[in-house]
């Protein structure tokens, strides 16, 4: 059986990173749900901090370095995507936005996506709905209903941890269901693939 692929993008800037921690927990919850449905899973973590310079260079030159190209293909060729960003000034951070600015506008169409975020105060949780979700809706991805936000207090105290774990579990189930009911991904779309045959090209693309 072909393994399902799950790209896990985290845009945390520090090490260790609570953003990466949340992304890993969302990935584990989704993986467990998929395995329970009989789908083996290959996780593909993409830590944007490692590609920061390549992302800027790509924006300036229009050409990706090989490691960044591979990261973009991991994301666009996966069966599902988990995308987690820290929230700065009530929105996603610049690294997160710059990376997805490099994704082809059609590459995530119909792709199941689970969104998450971390921030210094629970007030930032609204950014998931007014900034992160609209971006993926513009890319025509299928964004799961449950978005997961983690504030500092969510990581400490038994009651808070339980509430966060419940949200992570629900989000993982939703993403796993969306992935499970779709055919396996065939890999990233080649932007240079011809969609018309040579004879049609000679006729100017007319049917």
């Amino acid at each position: 059986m072909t393994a399902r692929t799950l790209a896990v993008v985290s845009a945390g800037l520090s090490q260790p990173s609570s953003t990466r921690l949340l992304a890993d927990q969302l990935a584990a919850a989704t993986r467990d749900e998929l395995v329970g449905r009989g789908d083996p899973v290959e996780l593909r973590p993409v830590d944007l901090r490692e590609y920061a310079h390549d992302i800027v260079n790509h924006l300036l030159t229009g050409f990706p370095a090989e490691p960044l190209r591979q990261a973009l293909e991991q994301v666009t060729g996966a069966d599902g995507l988990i995308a987690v960003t820290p929230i700065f000034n009530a929105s996603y951070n610049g690294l997160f936005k710059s990376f997805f600015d490099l994704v082809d506008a059609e590459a995530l169409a119909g792709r199941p996506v689970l969104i998450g975020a971390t921030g210094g105060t629970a007030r930032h949780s609204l950014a998931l709905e007014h900034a992160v979700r609209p971006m993926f809706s513009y890319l025509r991805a299928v964004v799961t209903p449950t978005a997961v936000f983690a504030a500092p207090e969510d990581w400490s105290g038994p009651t808070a941890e339980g509430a966060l774990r419940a949200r992570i579990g629900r989000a993982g189930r939703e993403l796993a269901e969306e992935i499970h009911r779709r055919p396996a991904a065939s890999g990233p779309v080649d932007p240079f693939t011809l969609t018309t045959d040579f004879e049609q090209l000679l006729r100017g693309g007319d049917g």
Side-chain angles (χ1 to χ4, degrees), residues 80-83 108 111-115 136 141-145 175 178:
L81 168 64
I82 293 171
L108 295 180
R111 196 69 48 85
V113 176
L114 190 169
I115 58 175
F136 285 106
V142 179
V143 186
T144 57
L175 181 59
E178 290 291 340

Side-chain angles (χ1 to χ4, degrees), residues 22-110:
L22 178 59
D24 288 346
Q25 292 190 6
L26 290 169
T30 307
R31 178 198 60 208
D32 292 347
E33 290 289 336
L34 282 168
V35 170
R37 289 169 166 79
D39 291 327
V41 182
E42 175 190 341
L43 297 180
R44 298 176 173 178
V46 179
D47 193 341
L48 297 187
R49 184 179 186 275
E50 299 177 3
Y51 303 97
H53 294 291
D54 287 343
I55 289 170
V56 173
N57 288 337
H58 187 359
L59 289 170
L60 293 174
T61 66
F63 297 97
E66 183 61 20
L68 177 59
R69 185 190 65 79
Q70 293 178 5
L72 288 166
E73 289 186 351
Q74 284 184 330
V75 170
T76 59
D79 291 288
L81 168 64
I82 293 171
V84 185
T85 178
I87 301 299
F88 297 154
N89 295 327
S91 188
Y92 35 60
N93 74 357
L95 186 60
F96 186 83
K97 181 60 164 63
S98 295
F99 178 79
F100 284 102
D101 281 346
L102 300 176
V103 172
D104 184 88
E106 301 296 319
L108 295 180

